[in-house]
Amino acid sequence: MFNVVSRRTLLRGAAGAILPLPRLEASTPKGDERRPLRFVALFKPNGVHSPYWNIEDGREKEFRLSAGMAPLEKLKSHLLFVDNLGTAGFTSHMASAQRFLSGRFSPSGRGGASLDQLIADKVSPGTRIRSLELTTEGLFAQLPECSYVSYTAQGRPIPRERDPNLLFDRLFRDPLVAPSARRDAVSLLDRVGESTKRLLRTVGKEDQQTLDQYLTVVRQAEVKIENLSRTAASPHDPGQELAGRAATTFNERTDLMIDLIALALWTDSTRCVTYMLGNDNSRLVFDFLGVKQNHHLLSHYSRTSTPADIGNLHKICDWHTEKFARLVTRLKSYTEGPRSLLDDTVVLYGAGMGASDSHTAHRIPTVLAGGTRVLRTGRYVRPAKNTEPTHLHRTLLDFFGAAPPPQHHIAACEPMSGLDGSAYQPYREPAFQSRLEVSGPNVIVQGRLRYDPDRPSEFLIDVTGEQRPVRIAVATKSNRELNFFASTPIRLSGTGERKGGDLVLTALKSVVPLEGQTAASGP
């Protein structure tokens, strides 16, 4: 028979050391199966290269991940892939950032609380930290709205933390102790050593194993903090992270932030976290990936890109998705009795726009993870109709038992069906046949529109019986409209000519999607 340890126990030591504890069997009264549900949102900036990301012709339980989802293959059974999120039309970077957790763009002071803050209102009682708002980069001063996804009930953006040192302090160090004393002190675990030894003597074998894993992870984080401090960029040169040697620490800092997020959740220090992997309109340069151009430039691939540039954009998108995979893997590895921390955490990974080049507001990349009490993972859910993000947000609020204020715009939204395994109307691509009609310069071509991998500003349509696909090389304005319909069946009419054995459509007269969608005018 072991002593019961309070769930709120903090091991304290010299120089302000604080060590919150993960859930232990000794801290759980017999028969008490209650476990808090947590929420994490990871924001991916600047949308995606749609053909690289979108799942095509998938079914709910029979689908193949796209090339852009390759980092998630081993975690597939723990994930729920959501498609057809968004609506016809286009978006701006400011609207994209706000859409992620607020569902729409509203001038500062008018939009009300974002999804994460509505959830925090419900789940934060009993935690030390109401919510964490984190980021990888500083404020985008030209358009500050691009830098925020979390908003207060008054519609004001919530400041974000980008320094893992300060996050570590917030989790494990007493703010009332002078920073110089904390800095000069020995290891955190050494400072709480006596308290730890006493605790280990009072708990059972299973809890001892949990504590051993936890203390190892904390020490690893502390070592990374120490190493990072030695190579940190000068505070007087905020742009230093974008080049050379300091760029290497950017990747390390991001990994460390993700590890600290997992620790914050495991110790129940907080139950609500948002982490921006970049500002929308992000100009970060990923030197450590061998990429020399900034992210935003590469994201507009039809105007400036070469095949090599498309490859570099894919590297950046893969990096974002790998960070999501890292978090899911961490949460999956931490146990709370018979369950993993991931089982009791809903993780939302996504963006606020679809195709980055034309800023489409359609097929916004969205993946959910964990939360096995409320989600049915291992599936691909693509509703028959476009679904605004606010309906997803309403569903997530319902999962947490959080009711939006009556005046909040989300209060009027119906929940999105299917996420919990409930019935929904799935998308089915209409049957179609490819065909080609040529009369002088006039051309009508029908088939699946796809990108030309060798000419990023052009498209191709394969036609049965034709040896070579029809090329579509049109002006930028028309190209932006075609981006909306990439990878879908479509009928195009216009004028063209033969070039080197290829039939090339050079001007459009009409664009008729075969699946009933229409694109609005661009921004």
mmCIF file with all atom_site columns, all heavy atoms in Angstrom, residues 300-324:
data_model
loop_
_atom_site.group_PDB
_atom_site.id
_atom_site.type_symbol
_atom_site.label_atom_id
_atom_site.label_alt_id
_atom_site.label_comp_id
_atom_site.label_asym_id
_atom_site.label_entity_id
_atom_site.label_seq_id
_atom_site.pdbx_PDB_ins_code
_atom_site.Cartn_x
_atom_site.Cartn_y
_atom_site.Cartn_z
_atom_site.occupancy
_atom_site.B_iso_or_equiv
_atom_site.pdbx_formal_charge
_atom_site.auth_seq_id
_atom_site.auth_comp_id
_atom_site.auth_asym_id
_atom_site.auth_atom_id
_atom_site.pdbx_PDB_model_num
ATOM 1   N N   . HIS A 1 300 ? 4.963  30.882 -54.047 1.00 0.00 ? 300 HIS A N   1
ATOM 2   C CA  . HIS A 1 300 ? 4.308  31.359 -55.273 1.00 0.00 ? 300 HIS A CA  1
ATOM 3   C C   . HIS A 1 300 ? 5.007  30.734 -56.481 1.00 0.00 ? 300 HIS A C   1
ATOM 4   O O   . HIS A 1 300 ? 5.646  31.410 -57.283 1.00 0.00 ? 300 HIS A O   1
ATOM 5   C CB  . HIS A 1 300 ? 4.321  32.886 -55.319 1.00 0.00 ? 300 HIS A CB  1
ATOM 6   C CG  . HIS A 1 300 ? 3.367  33.504 -54.356 1.00 0.00 ? 300 HIS A CG  1
ATOM 7   N ND1 . HIS A 1 300 ? 2.006  33.520 -54.563 1.00 0.00 ? 300 HIS A ND1 1
ATOM 8   C CD2 . HIS A 1 300 ? 3.571  34.087 -53.147 1.00 0.00 ? 300 HIS A CD2 1
ATOM 9   C CE1 . HIS A 1 300 ? 1.406  34.103 -53.532 1.00 0.00 ? 300 HIS A CE1 1
ATOM 10  N NE2 . HIS A 1 300 ? 2.334  34.447 -52.660 1.00 0.00 ? 300 HIS A NE2 1
ATOM 11  N N   . TYR A 1 301 ? 4.829  29.433 -56.607 1.00 0.00 ? 301 TYR A N   1
ATOM 12  C CA  . TYR A 1 301 ? 5.635  28.636 -57.522 1.00 0.00 ? 301 TYR A CA  1
ATOM 13  C C   . TYR A 1 301 ? 5.315  28.848 -58.994 1.00 0.00 ? 301 TYR A C   1
ATOM 14  O O   . TYR A 1 301 ? 6.173  28.661 -59.844 1.00 0.00 ? 301 TYR A O   1
ATOM 15  C CB  . TYR A 1 301 ? 5.499  27.153 -57.168 1.00 0.00 ? 301 TYR A CB  1
ATOM 16  C CG  . TYR A 1 301 ? 4.104  26.705 -56.815 1.00 0.00 ? 301 TYR A CG  1
ATOM 17  C CD1 . TYR A 1 301 ? 3.173  26.365 -57.783 1.00 0.00 ? 301 TYR A CD1 1
ATOM 18  C CD2 . TYR A 1 301 ? 3.713  26.630 -55.475 1.00 0.00 ? 301 TYR A CD2 1
ATOM 19  C CE1 . TYR A 1 301 ? 1.899  25.964 -57.442 1.00 0.00 ? 301 TYR A CE1 1
ATOM 20  C CE2 . TYR A 1 301 ? 2.439  26.221 -55.123 1.00 0.00 ? 301 TYR A CE2 1
ATOM 21  C CZ  . TYR A 1 301 ? 1.533  25.889 -56.111 1.00 0.00 ? 301 TYR A CZ  1
ATOM 22  O OH  . TYR A 1 301 ? 0.271  25.495 -55.769 1.00 0.00 ? 301 TYR A OH  1
ATOM 23  N N   . SER A 1 302 ? 4.103  29.233 -59.356 1.00 0.00 ? 302 SER A N   1
ATOM 24  C CA  . SER A 1 302 ? 3.785  29.348 -60.785 1.00 0.00 ? 302 SER A CA  1
ATOM 25  C C   . SER A 1 302 ? 4.367  30.611 -61.399 1.00 0.00 ? 302 SER A C   1
ATOM 26  O O   . SER A 1 302 ? 4.423  30.737 -62.616 1.00 0.00 ? 302 SER A O   1
ATOM 27  C CB  . SER A 1 302 ? 2.271  29.329 -61.002 1.00 0.00 ? 302 SER A CB  1
ATOM 28  O OG  . SER A 1 302 ? 1.690  30.544 -60.590 1.00 0.00 ? 302 SER A OG  1
ATOM 29  N N   . ARG A 1 303 ? 4.807  31.548 -60.572 1.00 0.00 ? 303 ARG A N   1
ATOM 30  C CA  . ARG A 1 303 ? 5.299  32.820 -61.103 1.00 0.00 ? 303 ARG A CA  1
ATOM 31  C C   . ARG A 1 303 ? 6.819  32.851 -61.214 1.00 0.00 ? 303 ARG A C   1
ATOM 32  O O   . ARG A 1 303 ? 7.371  33.460 -62.118 1.00 0.00 ? 303 ARG A O   1
ATOM 33  C CB  . ARG A 1 303 ? 4.842  33.966 -60.202 1.00 0.00 ? 303 ARG A CB  1
ATOM 34  C CG  . ARG A 1 303 ? 3.347  33.991 -59.973 1.00 0.00 ? 303 ARG A CG  1
ATOM 35  C CD  . ARG A 1 303 ? 2.957  35.079 -58.990 1.00 0.00 ? 303 ARG A CD  1
ATOM 36  N NE  . ARG A 1 303 ? 1.647  34.818 -58.424 1.00 0.00 ? 303 ARG A NE  1
ATOM 37  C CZ  . ARG A 1 303 ? 1.070  35.583 -57.516 1.00 0.00 ? 303 ARG A CZ  1
ATOM 38  N NH1 . ARG A 1 303 ? 1.688  36.655 -57.073 1.00 0.00 ? 303 ARG A NH1 1
ATOM 39  N NH2 . ARG A 1 303 ? -0.117 35.277 -57.042 1.00 0.00 ? 303 ARG A NH2 1
ATOM 40  N N   . THR A 1 304 ? 7.490  32.232 -60.276 1.00 0.00 ? 304 THR A N   1
ATOM 41  C CA  . THR A 1 304 ? 8.939  32.398 -60.213 1.00 0.00 ? 304 THR A CA  1
ATOM 42  C C   . THR A 1 304 ? 9.706  31.086 -60.164 1.00 0.00 ? 304 THR A C   1
ATOM 43  O O   . THR A 1 304 ? 10.930 31.100 -60.215 1.00 0.00 ? 304 THR A O   1
ATOM 44  C CB  . THR A 1 304 ? 9.316  33.202 -58.953 1.00 0.00 ? 304 THR A CB  1
ATOM 45  O OG1 . THR A 1 304 ? 8.848  32.494 -57.793 1.00 0.00 ? 304 THR A OG1 1
ATOM 46  C CG2 . THR A 1 304 ? 8.678  34.581 -58.968 1.00 0.00 ? 304 THR A CG2 1
ATOM 47  N N   . SER A 1 305 ? 9.022  29.954 -60.077 1.00 0.00 ? 305 SER A N   1
ATOM 48  C CA  . SER A 1 305 ? 9.709  28.725 -59.694 1.00 0.00 ? 305 SER A CA  1
ATOM 49  C C   . SER A 1 305 ? 10.214 27.901 -60.863 1.00 0.00 ? 305 SER A C   1
ATOM 50  O O   . SER A 1 305 ? 9.667  27.910 -61.958 1.00 0.00 ? 305 SER A O   1
ATOM 51  C CB  . SER A 1 305 ? 8.782  27.860 -58.841 1.00 0.00 ? 305 SER A CB  1
ATOM 52  O OG  . SER A 1 305 ? 8.468  28.510 -57.640 1.00 0.00 ? 305 SER A OG  1
ATOM 53  N N   . THR A 1 306 ? 11.256 27.141 -60.581 1.00 0.00 ? 306 THR A N   1
ATOM 54  C CA  . THR A 1 306 ? 11.772 26.092 -61.441 1.00 0.00 ? 306 THR A CA  1
ATOM 55  C C   . THR A 1 306 ? 11.476 24.763 -60.749 1.00 0.00 ? 306 THR A C   1
ATOM 56  O O   . THR A 1 306 ? 11.074 24.740 -59.582 1.00 0.00 ? 306 THR A O   1
ATOM 57  C CB  . THR A 1 306 ? 13.287 26.246 -61.616 1.00 0.00 ? 306 THR A CB  1
ATOM 58  O OG1 . THR A 1 306 ? 13.910 26.026 -60.333 1.00 0.00 ? 306 THR A OG1 1
ATOM 59  C CG2 . THR A 1 306 ? 13.649 27.641 -62.125 1.00 0.00 ? 306 THR A CG2 1
ATOM 60  N N   . PRO A 1 307 ? 11.671 23.630 -61.433 1.00 0.00 ? 307 PRO A N   1
ATOM 61  C CA  . PRO A 1 307 ? 11.493 22.349 -60.738 1.00 0.00 ? 307 PRO A CA  1
ATOM 62  C C   . PRO A 1 307 ? 12.321 22.241 -59.464 1.00 0.00 ? 307 PRO A C   1
ATOM 63  O O   . PRO A 1 307 ? 11.874 21.653 -58.471 1.00 0.00 ? 307 PRO A O   1
ATOM 64  C CB  . PRO A 1 307 ? 11.932 21.335 -61.796 1.00 0.00 ? 307 PRO A CB  1
ATOM 65  C CG  . PRO A 1 307 ? 11.599 21.993 -63.094 1.00 0.00 ? 307 PRO A CG  1
ATOM 66  C CD  . PRO A 1 307 ? 11.898 23.452 -62.878 1.00 0.00 ? 307 PRO A CD  1
ATOM 67  N N   . ALA A 1 308 ? 13.520 22.828 -59.469 1.00 0.00 ? 308 ALA A N   1
ATOM 68  C CA  . ALA A 1 308 ? 14.346 22.803 -58.254 1.00 0.00 ? 308 ALA A CA  1
ATOM 69  C C   . ALA A 1 308 ? 13.688 23.596 -57.133 1.00 0.00 ? 308 ALA A C   1
ATOM 70  O O   . ALA A 1 308 ? 13.743 23.203 -55.960 1.00 0.00 ? 308 ALA A O   1
ATOM 71  C CB  . ALA A 1 308 ? 15.733 23.364 -58.554 1.00 0.00 ? 308 ALA A CB  1
ATOM 72  N N   . ASP A 1 309 ? 13.049 24.715 -57.488 1.00 0.00 ? 309 ASP A N   1
ATOM 73  C CA  . ASP A 1 309 ? 12.363 25.519 -56.476 1.00 0.00 ? 309 ASP A CA  1
ATOM 74  C C   . ASP A 1 309 ? 11.177 24.763 -55.880 1.00 0.00 ? 309 ASP A C   1
ATOM 75  O O   . ASP A 1 309 ? 10.914 24.848 -54.677 1.00 0.00 ? 309 ASP A O   1
ATOM 76  C CB  . ASP A 1 309 ? 11.877 26.838 -57.080 1.00 0.00 ? 309 ASP A CB  1
ATOM 77  C CG  . ASP A 1 309 ? 13.019 27.774 -57.426 1.00 0.00 ? 309 ASP A CG  1
ATOM 78  O OD1 . ASP A 1 309 ? 14.071 27.681 -56.771 1.00 0.00 ? 309 ASP A OD1 1
ATOM 79  O OD2 . ASP A 1 309 ? 12.866 28.577 -58.361 1.00 0.00 ? 309 ASP A OD2 1
ATOM 80  N N   . ILE A 1 310 ? 10.450 24.037 -56.732 1.00 0.00 ? 310 ILE A N   1
ATOM 81  C CA  . ILE A 1 310 ? 9.342  23.223 -56.227 1.00 0.00 ? 310 ILE A CA  1
ATOM 82  C C   . ILE A 1 310 ? 9.878  22.198 -55.230 1.00 0.00 ? 310 ILE A C   1
ATOM 83  O O   . ILE A 1 310 ? 9.287  21.959 -54.171 1.00 0.00 ? 310 ILE A O   1
ATOM 84  C CB  . ILE A 1 310 ? 8.614  22.511 -57.382 1.00 0.00 ? 310 ILE A CB  1
ATOM 85  C CG1 . ILE A 1 310 ? 7.838  23.522 -58.222 1.00 0.00 ? 310 ILE A CG1 1
ATOM 86  C CG2 . ILE A 1 310 ? 7.673  21.438 -56.848 1.00 0.00 ? 310 ILE A CG2 1
ATOM 87  C CD1 . ILE A 1 310 ? 6.617  24.084 -57.557 1.00 0.00 ? 310 ILE A CD1 1
ATOM 88  N N   . GLY A 1 311 ? 11.014 21.594 -55.557 1.00 0.00 ? 311 GLY A N   1
ATOM 89  C CA  . GLY A 1 311 ? 11.630 20.645 -54.635 1.00 0.00 ? 311 GLY A CA  1
ATOM 90  C C   . GLY A 1 311 ? 11.991 21.286 -53.310 1.00 0.00 ? 311 GLY A C   1
ATOM 91  O O   . GLY A 1 311 ? 11.825 20.683 -52.241 1.00 0.00 ? 311 GLY A O   1
ATOM 92  N N   . ASN A 1 312 ? 12.465 22.526 -53.348 1.00 0.00 ? 312 ASN A N   1
ATOM 93  C CA  . ASN A 1 312 ? 12.800 23.235 -52.113 1.00 0.00 ? 312 ASN A CA  1
ATOM 94  C C   . ASN A 1 312 ? 11.550 23.565 -51.301 1.00 0.00 ? 312 ASN A C   1
ATOM 95  O O   . ASN A 1 312 ? 11.561 23.500 -50.066 1.00 0.00 ? 312 ASN A O   1
ATOM 96  C CB  . ASN A 1 312 ? 13.568 24.513 -52.434 1.00 0.00 ? 312 ASN A CB  1
ATOM 97  C CG  . ASN A 1 312 ? 15.006 24.237 -52.834 1.00 0.00 ? 312 ASN A CG  1
ATOM 98  O OD1 . ASN A 1 312 ? 15.586 23.228 -52.432 1.00 0.00 ? 312 ASN A OD1 1
ATOM 99  N ND2 . ASN A 1 312 ? 15.588 25.120 -53.632 1.00 0.00 ? 312 ASN A ND2 1
ATOM 100 N N   . LEU A 1 313 ? 10.464 23.924 -51.997 1.00 0.00 ? 313 LEU A N   1
ATOM 101 C CA  . LEU A 1 313 ? 9.202  24.159 -51.292 1.00 0.00 ? 313 LEU A CA  1
ATOM 102 C C   . LEU A 1 313 ? 8.741  22.879 -50.603 1.00 0.00 ? 313 LEU A C   1
ATOM 103 O O   . LEU A 1 313 ? 8.265  22.908 -49.464 1.00 0.00 ? 313 LEU A O   1
ATOM 104 C CB  . LEU A 1 313 ? 8.141  24.650 -52.273 1.00 0.00 ? 313 LEU A CB  1
ATOM 105 C CG  . LEU A 1 313 ? 6.741  24.878 -51.694 1.00 0.00 ? 313 LEU A CG  1
ATOM 106 C CD1 . LEU A 1 313 ? 6.766  25.939 -50.599 1.00 0.00 ? 313 LEU A CD1 1
ATOM 107 C CD2 . LEU A 1 313 ? 5.759  25.265 -52.797 1.00 0.00 ? 313 LEU A CD2 1
ATOM 108 N N   . HIS A 1 314 ? 8.904  21.755 -51.267 1.00 0.00 ? 314 HIS A N   1
ATOM 109 C CA  . HIS A 1 314 ? 8.531  20.473 -50.662 1.00 0.00 ? 314 HIS A CA  1
ATOM 110 C C   . HIS A 1 314 ? 9.366  20.190 -49.416 1.00 0.00 ? 314 HIS A C   1
ATOM 111 O O   . HIS A 1 314 ? 8.857  19.649 -48.428 1.00 0.00 ? 314 HIS A O   1
ATOM 112 C CB  . HIS A 1 314 ? 8.701  19.344 -51.674 1.00 0.00 ? 314 HIS A CB  1
ATOM 113 C CG  . HIS A 1 314 ? 7.729  19.401 -52.812 1.00 0.00 ? 314 HIS A CG  1
ATOM 114 N ND1 . HIS A 1 314 ? 7.818  18.577 -53.913 1.00 0.00 ? 314 HIS A ND1 1
ATOM 115 C CD2 . HIS A 1 314 ? 6.641  20.187 -53.023 1.00 0.00 ? 314 HIS A CD2 1
ATOM 116 C CE1 . HIS A 1 314 ? 6.830  18.851 -54.746 1.00 0.00 ? 314 HIS A CE1 1
ATOM 117 N NE2 . HIS A 1 314 ? 6.107  19.829 -54.226 1.00 0.00 ? 314 HIS A NE2 1
ATOM 118 N N   . LYS A 1 315 ? 10.636 20.550 -49.444 1.00 0.00 ? 315 LYS A N   1
ATOM 119 C CA  . LYS A 1 315 ? 11.489 20.346 -48.266 1.00 0.00 ? 315 LYS A CA  1
ATOM 120 C C   . LYS A 1 315 ? 10.945 21.119 -47.061 1.00 0.00 ? 315 LYS A C   1
ATOM 121 O O   . LYS A 1 315 ? 10.928 20.610 -45.939 1.00 0.00 ? 315 LYS A O   1
ATOM 122 C CB  . LYS A 1 315 ? 12.921 20.804 -48.557 1.00 0.00 ? 315 LYS A CB  1
ATOM 123 C CG  . LYS A 1 315 ? 13.706 19.908 -49.496 1.00 0.00 ? 315 LYS A CG  1
ATOM 124 C CD  . LYS A 1 315 ? 15.112 20.462 -49.702 1.00 0.00 ? 315 LYS A CD  1
ATOM 125 C CE  . LYS A 1 315 ? 15.919 19.613 -50.669 1.00 0.00 ? 315 LYS A CE  1
ATOM 126 N NZ  . LYS A 1 315 ? 17.289 20.180 -50.875 1.00 0.00 ? 315 LYS A NZ  1
ATOM 127 N N   . ILE A 1 316 ? 10.512 22.352 -47.308 1.00 0.00 ? 316 ILE A N   1
ATOM 128 C CA  . ILE A 1 316 ? 9.980  23.172 -46.215 1.00 0.00 ? 316 ILE A CA  1
ATOM 129 C C   . ILE A 1 316 ? 8.670  22.584 -45.694 1.00 0.00 ? 316 ILE A C   1
ATOM 130 O O   . ILE A 1 316 ? 8.458  22.480 -44.476 1.00 0.00 ? 316 ILE A O   1
ATOM 131 C CB  . ILE A 1 316 ? 9.777  24.626 -46.690 1.00 0.00 ? 316 ILE A CB  1
ATOM 132 C CG1 . ILE A 1 316 ? 11.129 25.256 -47.045 1.00 0.00 ? 316 ILE A CG1 1
ATOM 133 C CG2 . ILE A 1 316 ? 9.069  25.453 -45.620 1.00 0.00 ? 316 ILE A CG2 1
ATOM 134 C CD1 . ILE A 1 316 ? 11.021 26.623 -47.695 1.00 0.00 ? 316 ILE A CD1 1
ATOM 135 N N   . CYS A 1 317 ? 7.793  22.186 -46.620 1.00 0.00 ? 317 CYS A N   1
ATOM 136 C CA  . CYS A 1 317 ? 6.520  21.590 -46.197 1.00 0.00 ? 317 CYS A CA  1
ATOM 137 C C   . CYS A 1 317 ? 6.756  20.291 -45.433 1.00 0.00 ? 317 CYS A C   1
ATOM 138 O O   . CYS A 1 317 ? 6.064  20.008 -44.443 1.00 0.00 ? 317 CYS A O   1
ATOM 139 C CB  . CYS A 1 317 ? 5.633  21.349 -47.413 1.00 0.00 ? 317 CYS A CB  1
ATOM 140 S SG  . CYS A 1 317 ? 5.010  22.870 -48.176 1.00 0.00 ? 317 CYS A SG  1
ATOM 141 N N   . ASP A 1 318 ? 7.728  19.498 -45.874 1.00 0.00 ? 318 ASP A N   1
ATOM 142 C CA  . ASP A 1 318 ? 8.066  18.263 -45.156 1.00 0.00 ? 318 ASP A CA  1
ATOM 143 C C   . ASP A 1 318 ? 8.556  18.584 -43.747 1.00 0.00 ? 318 ASP A C   1
ATOM 144 O O   . ASP A 1 318 ? 8.229  17.872 -42.788 1.00 0.00 ? 318 ASP A O   1
ATOM 145 C CB  . ASP A 1 318 ? 9.152  17.490 -45.905 1.00 0.00 ? 318 ASP A CB  1
ATOM 146 C CG  . ASP A 1 318 ? 8.632  16.804 -47.156 1.00 0.00 ? 318 ASP A CG  1
ATOM 147 O OD1 . ASP A 1 318 ? 7.403  16.738 -47.334 1.00 0.00 ? 318 ASP A OD1 1
ATOM 148 O OD2 . ASP A 1 318 ? 9.464  16.342 -47.960 1.00 0.00 ? 318 ASP A OD2 1
ATOM 149 N N   . TRP A 1 319 ? 9.352  19.640 -43.629 1.00 0.00 ? 319 TRP A N   1
ATOM 150 C CA  . TRP A 1 319 ? 9.872  20.030 -42.312 1.00 0.00 ? 319 TRP A CA  1
ATOM 151 C C   . TRP A 1 319 ? 8.730  20.353 -41.364 1.00 0.00 ? 319 TRP A C   1
ATOM 152 O O   . TRP A 1 319 ? 8.729  19.910 -40.210 1.00 0.00 ? 319 TRP A O   1
ATOM 153 C CB  . TRP A 1 319 ? 10.806 21.226 -42.469 1.00 0.00 ? 319 TRP A CB  1
ATOM 154 C CG  . TRP A 1 319 ? 11.462 21.669 -41.202 1.00 0.00 ? 319 TRP A CG  1
ATOM 155 C CD1 . TRP A 1 319 ? 12.609 21.177 -40.648 1.00 0.00 ? 319 TRP A CD1 1
ATOM 156 C CD2 . TRP A 1 319 ? 11.008 22.706 -40.318 1.00 0.00 ? 319 TRP A CD2 1
ATOM 157 N NE1 . TRP A 1 319 ? 12.898 21.838 -39.475 1.00 0.00 ? 319 TRP A NE1 1
ATOM 158 C CE2 . TRP A 1 319 ? 11.937 22.784 -39.248 1.00 0.00 ? 319 TRP A CE2 1
ATOM 159 C CE3 . TRP A 1 319 ? 9.920  23.571 -40.325 1.00 0.00 ? 319 TRP A CE3 1
ATOM 160 C CZ2 . TRP A 1 319 ? 11.793 23.695 -38.206 1.00 0.00 ? 319 TRP A CZ2 1
ATOM 161 C CZ3 . TRP A 1 319 ? 9.775  24.476 -39.286 1.00 0.00 ? 319 TRP A CZ3 1
ATOM 162 C CH2 . TRP A 1 319 ? 10.702 24.532 -38.239 1.00 0.00 ? 319 TRP A CH2 1
ATOM 163 N N   . HIS A 1 320 ? 7.741  21.111 -41.836 1.00 0.00 ? 320 HIS A N   1
ATOM 164 C CA  . HIS A 1 320 ? 6.582  21.420 -40.993 1.00 0.00 ? 320 HIS A CA  1
ATOM 165 C C   . HIS A 1 320 ? 5.881  20.135 -40.544 1.00 0.00 ? 320 HIS A C   1
ATOM 166 O O   . HIS A 1 320 ? 5.548  19.965 -39.362 1.00 0.00 ? 320 HIS A O   1
ATOM 167 C CB  . HIS A 1 320 ? 5.577  22.281 -41.767 1.00 0.00 ? 320 HIS A CB  1
ATOM 168 C CG  . HIS A 1 320 ? 6.064  23.666 -42.059 1.00 0.00 ? 320 HIS A CG  1
ATOM 169 N ND1 . HIS A 1 320 ? 5.822  24.291 -43.258 1.00 0.00 ? 320 HIS A ND1 1
ATOM 170 C CD2 . HIS A 1 320 ? 6.779  24.546 -41.313 1.00 0.00 ? 320 HIS A CD2 1
ATOM 171 C CE1 . HIS A 1 320 ? 6.359  25.497 -43.241 1.00 0.00 ? 320 HIS A CE1 1
ATOM 172 N NE2 . HIS A 1 320 ? 6.944  25.677 -42.077 1.00 0.00 ? 320 HIS A NE2 1
ATOM 173 N N   . THR A 1 321 ? 5.649  19.237 -41.489 1.00 0.00 ? 321 THR A N   1
ATOM 174 C CA  . THR A 1 321 ? 4.916  18.008 -41.177 1.00 0.00 ? 321 THR A CA  1
ATOM 175 C C   . THR A 1 321 ? 5.727  17.104 -40.258 1.00 0.00 ? 321 THR A C   1
ATOM 176 O O   . THR A 1 321 ? 5.169  16.405 -39.402 1.00 0.00 ? 321 THR A O   1
ATOM 177 C CB  . THR A 1 321 ? 4.538  17.280 -42.475 1.00 0.00 ? 321 THR A CB  1
ATOM 178 O OG1 . THR A 1 321 ? 3.790  18.185 -43.308 1.00 0.00 ? 321 THR A OG1 1
ATOM 179 C CG2 . THR A 1 321 ? 3.684  16.058 -42.204 1.00 0.00 ? 321 THR A CG2 1
ATOM 180 N N   . GLU A 1 322 ? 7.036  17.108 -40.406 1.00 0.00 ? 322 GLU A N   1
ATOM 181 C CA  . GLU A 1 322 ? 7.892  16.322 -39.509 1.00 0.00 ? 322 GLU A CA  1
ATOM 182 C C   . GLU A 1 322 ? 7.792  16.824 -38.070 1.00 0.00 ? 322 GLU A C   1
ATOM 183 O O   . GLU A 1 322 ? 7.887  16.028 -37.122 1.00 0.00 ? 322 GLU A O   1
ATOM 184 C CB  . GLU A 1 322 ? 9.342  16.382 -39.995 1.00 0.00 ? 322 GLU A CB  1
ATOM 185 C CG  . GLU A 1 322 ? 9.593  15.551 -41.252 1.00 0.00 ? 322 GLU A CG  1
ATOM 186 C CD  . GLU A 1 322 ? 10.896 15.909 -41.944 1.00 0.00 ? 322 GLU A CD  1
ATOM 187 O OE1 . GLU A 1 322 ? 11.645 16.769 -41.397 1.00 0.00 ? 322 GLU A OE1 1
ATOM 188 O OE2 . GLU A 1 322 ? 11.171 15.350 -43.023 1.00 0.00 ? 322 GLU A OE2 1
ATOM 189 N N   . LYS A 1 323 ? 7.607  18.121 -37.882 1.00 0.00 ? 323 LYS A N   1
ATOM 190 C CA  . LYS A 1 323 ? 7.468  18.646 -36.517 1.00 0.00 ? 323 LYS A CA  1
ATOM 191 C C   . LYS A 1 323 ? 6.146  18.191 -35.899 1.00 0.00 ? 323 LYS A C   1
ATOM 192 O O   . LYS A 1 323 ? 6.078  17.887 -34.703 1.00 0.00 ? 323 LYS A O   1
ATOM 193 C CB  . LYS A 1 323 ? 7.555  20.177 -36.519 1.00 0.00 ? 323 LYS A CB  1
ATOM 194 C CG  . LYS A 1 323 ? 8.876  20.709 -37.054 1.00 0.00 ? 323 LYS A CG  1
ATOM 195 C CD  . LYS A 1 323 ? 10.077 19.997 -36.439 1.00 0.00 ? 323 LYS A CD  1
ATOM 196 C CE  . LYS A 1 323 ? 11.368 20.329 -37.149 1.00 0.00 ? 323 LYS A CE  1
ATOM 197 N NZ  . LYS A 1 323 ? 12.504 19.485 -36.699 1.00 0.00 ? 323 LYS A NZ  1
ATOM 198 N N   . PHE A 1 324 ? 5.105  18.151 -36.700 1.00 0.00 ? 324 PHE A N   1
ATOM 199 C CA  . PHE A 1 324 ? 3.837  17.597 -36.230 1.00 0.00 ? 324 PHE A CA  1
ATOM 200 C C   . PHE A 1 324 ? 4.021  16.128 -35.850 1.00 0.00 ? 324 PHE A C   1
ATOM 201 O O   . PHE A 1 324 ? 3.566  15.679 -34.785 1.00 0.00 ? 324 PHE A O   1
ATOM 202 C CB  . PHE A 1 324 ? 2.790  17.754 -37.336 1.00 0.00 ? 324 PHE A CB  1
ATOM 203 C CG  . PHE A 1 324 ? 1.509  17.003 -37.111 1.00 0.00 ? 324 PHE A CG  1
ATOM 204 C CD1 . PHE A 1 324 ? 0.764  17.172 -35.953 1.00 0.00 ? 324 PHE A CD1 1
ATOM 205 C CD2 . PHE A 1 324 ? 1.033  16.136 -38.083 1.00 0.00 ? 324 PHE A CD2 1
ATOM 206 C CE1 . PHE A 1 324 ? -0.429 16.482 -35.760 1.00 0.00 ? 324 PHE A CE1 1
ATOM 207 C CE2 . PHE A 1 324 ? -0.158 15.449 -37.907 1.00 0.00 ? 324 PHE A CE2 1
ATOM 208 C CZ  . PHE A 1 324 ? -0.883 15.617 -36.737 1.00 0.00 ? 324 PHE A CZ  1
#
